[in-house]
Amino acid sequence: MPRIPRYLLIWLSCTAASVTAVLGTVQFVVGSTRHTPPVARSAPVVVETPPAWLASQGQSPSPQSPSAPPGGFPSATE
């Protein structure tokens, strides 16, 4: 096969492969985003934790909960 027609055939094949890949990608992206309703995102949950320097001292910025009795809480094994 002469050089020019062979190069033309190779060029056409590569162009066809590239166009097919681009069209397939576009169709995949458009098809995967179709018929999808917008999703409402909930607000992030904020967990109130004391700073590390307060936690290491055993202090809490929130009001103190009722303290344990002097003997501690009774366990299930007692």
Side-chain angles (χ1 to χ4, degrees):
M1 181 178 227
R3 180 181 292 179
I4 298 293
R6 181 175 46 196
Y7 288 161
L8 182 62
L9 181 63
I10 292 172
W11 179 78
L12 284 175
S13 298
C14 291
T15 303
S18 299
V19 169
T20 303
V22 168
L23 291 178
T25 302
V26 169
Q27 185 175 7
F28 173 78
V29 170
V30 170
S32 66
T33 58
R34 190 178 300 160
H35 305 301
T36 304
V39 178
R41 295 184 179 177
S42 61
V45 177
V46 178
V47 179
E48 294 293 332
T49 57
W53 60 273
L54 283 178
S56 66
Q57 296 174 358
Q59 299 175 355
S60 174
S62 62
Q64 295 293 329
S65 61
S67 60
F73 289 109
S75 65
T77 58
E78 292 180 9

